[in-house]
Amino acid sequence: MNKKILGAVAAMALGLVSCGQKQETRVTEVEGTARTALTEQLLTNLKTMPSQGYMYGRHDDPVYGHGWAWDEDRSDVKSVCGDLPAVMSFDLGHIELGDTVNLDGVPFNRIRREVIKQFEAGGMVTFSWHLNNPLTKGTAWVEKTDELIEQEKATVGSVLEGGKCHELFIGWLDKVADFMNSLTTADGTKVPVLFRPWHEHTGSWFWWGQDLCSTDQYKALWQMTYDELKSKGVDNVLYAYSPGTENGGDAVKYMERYPGDEIIDLLGLDCYCNAEPGVTDRFDRFTNQLQTQLPMIVELAKQHDKAVALTETGFEGIPLADWWTSILQPAIGDNPICYVLTWRNAYDRDTHYFGPFPGQISADDFVKFYESPKTIFLKDLKNLYK
Ligand code: BMA
């Protein structure tokens, strides 16, 4: 989500920043790696899923929640409704740095274990990647200060072929590839996952965002990501395109930076319900956005033969007791999406949560949401891989 991280980034003097890498031209010819049968099967099932309902997903659900962290076999979703999300989401931010924990402190080894567990339970996993800025060495979020803005705008160009961070960046992609390749069960089965990099690019808060790079550069970034993972033998990954709501319901705008049918498997939307004090129709805005944009995306998905999902949503702090059944569900309506995912319940920030926990005012309504015939949680799933 669009969450600005303030401060903490050492501003490096303009011109002194270098990736410390040789500038080399890279041969980008990619050997074709077919995707595994299970991965293709997952995609088929994501496309047909809406005839049964939509899966519910939560970011980082099995590793921490509101007021707790790192327990085993614990989940805020389960504590409230007795079942687990059908979709678990995790973030790969800081894997590029070679760190053992991600940007929110979650160990990558634990993520790998949870991915395998979710797969073996019949559920699905998706990954976002809030990776650092390879040029400024700052976070994924841009600061746009006088000192940094030029470099922030040069970042995507710097990682593309011929750019001064290209070699460094290929190394970062290779770390992601290694991780994807390491998602194997005890019998050696590679776990299919959905990867959702370069998300919310229609906003301008990440270094790959709208005002920070050109359309061609953004598409080239995707192509390079796809090619590099493929060349490293990654055959268990589906790819999601997930812009924010800036298209305003215009299909041409939604597709403006679309990387292509060969790369993308799922069309998504990141759309949050933001409470703005003093604005009485705050829910109408969210409802309107979903009701205008989801049918447009569904139509595009039909034309391009892709799956559709509400890849990120939520109402931070959920101050409305019946938000799940009176706002979210009606806003999704009958749009055939395969899943809806709400963001994380931070363990260390009291008000940063997007799902209920026992005692939270929307907990009872979440149980109604769970009981709705439209929602699919882990126990409802038959088999996503058959
Ligand atoms: C954001 C916020 C951040 C977090 C990031 C990645 O939207 O929740 O606190 O670091 O997602 O999980």
Side-chain angles (χ1 to χ4, degrees), residues 14-327:
L14 206 85
L16 290 180
V17 174
S18 144
C19 293
Q21 300 287 322
K22 289 187 296 198
Q23 287 193 37
E24 274 174 17
T25 311
R26 212 186 139 78
V27 181
T28 52
E29 204 172 291
V30 177
E31 288 293 312
T33 313
R35 282 199 298 222
T36 67
L38 288 181
T39 312
E40 291 299 339
Q41 194 55 56
L42 173 62
L43 178 58
T44 302
N45 286 330
L46 293 182
K47 289 179 188 168
T48 56
M49 175 71 60
S51 63
Q52 298 153 54
Y54 44 84
M55 296 187 284
Y56 175 70
R58 174 84 61 87
H59 189 67
D60 278 348
D61 180 62
V63 290
Y64 62 78
H66 185 75
W68 64 273
W70 325 130
D71 301 16
E72 297 281 338
D73 297 317
R74 187 169 174 186
S75 139
D76 279 353
V77 173
K78 194 168 180 186
S79 301
V80 170
C81 73
D83 200 352
L84 289 164
V87 180
M88 295 289 189
S89 160
F90 300 102
D91 199 275
L92 294 178
H94 291 187
I95 203 163
E96 71 280 1
L97 307 178
D99 287 2
T100 55
V101 299
N102 81 359
L103 79 166
D104 297 317
V106 189
F108 288 111
N109 283 340
R110 174 79 191 262
I111 295 178
R112 185 184 298 105
R113 257 199 301 125
E114 294 295 343
V115 168
I116 294 164
K117 194 171 167 188
Q118 178 72 355
F119 168 72
E120 290 181 334
M124 173 181 151
V125 171
T126 176
F127 286 108
S128 49
W129 190 20
H130 288 84
L131 73 165
N132 272 13
N133 182 317
L135 187 62
T136 66
K137 312 296 180 207
T139 68
W141 288 265
V142 286
E143 298 197 32
K144 294 187 182 164
T145 56
D146 289 350
E147 214 173 348
L148 286 171
I149 186 68
E150 287 311 314
Q151 289 168 46
E152 287 171 340
K153 285 189 168 181
T155 307
V156 174
S158 81
V159 304
L160 298 176
E161 205 174 318
K164 70 176 172 183
C165 294
H166 181 64
E167 290 303 315
L168 170 77
F169 195 73
I170 290 293
W172 286 13
L173 291 174
D174 290 351
K175 290 199 174 82
V176 171
D178 289 347
F179 185 78
M180 296 303 191
N181 282 328
S182 78
L183 301 173
T184 54
T185 63
D187 70 3
T189 305
K190 270 171 104 173
V191 178
V193 296
L194 177 72
F195 189 27
R196 200 171 61 84
W198 319 129
H199 68 302
E200 297 175 12
H201 66 282
T202 46
S204 297
W205 43 86
F206 296 130
W207 57 258
W208 55 88
Q210 185 77 20
D211 297 344
L212 288 303
C213 63
S214 70
T215 296
D216 285 350
Q217 285 177 323
Y218 179 78
K219 288 184 180 176
L221 178 64
W222 258 105
Q223 187 71 51
M224 183 174 71
T225 304
Y226 177 80
D227 288 348
E228 188 60 22
L229 266 61
K230 197 169 178 187
S231 77
K232 288 284 161 184
V234 173
D235 53 6
N236 53 331
V237 169
L238 300 173
Y239 293 89
Y241 177 66
S242 57
T245 55
E246 291 76 12
N247 65 78
D250 178 339
V252 174
K253 265 193 140 179
Y254 178 90
M255 294 300 266
E256 187 184 274
R257 297 189 170 193
Y258 182 62
D261 282 346
E262 315 70 40
I263 297 178
I264 298 300
D265 301 295
L266 180 145
L267 300 184
L269 180 69
D270 285 16
C271 177
Y272 280 84
C273 183
N274 293 319
E276 295 161 37
V279 179
T280 51
D281 63 353
R282 64 196 185 193
F283 301 120
D284 292 349
R285 182 166 166 262
F286 176 70
T287 301
N288 285 339
Q289 282 177 331
L290 289 188
Q291 289 190 343
T292 318
Q293 301 189 20
L294 287 179
M296 171 195 84
I297 299 170
V298 165
E299 187 50 39
L300 287 167
K302 261 189 223 149
Q303 290 164 16
H304 293 259
D305 189 24
K306 305 297 170 192
V308 186
L310 183 48
T311 37
E312 273 188 47
T313 190
F315 185 10
E316 189 169 11
I318 329 156
L320 185 74
D322 60 354
W323 183 75
W324 302 92
T325 61
S326 76
I327 303 293

Side-chain angles (χ1 to χ4, degrees), residues 332-344:
I332 294 172
D334 290 328
N335 288 295
I337 61 173
C338 63
Y339 74 82
V340 51
L341 186 134
T342 55
W343 207 239
R344 68 199 194 104

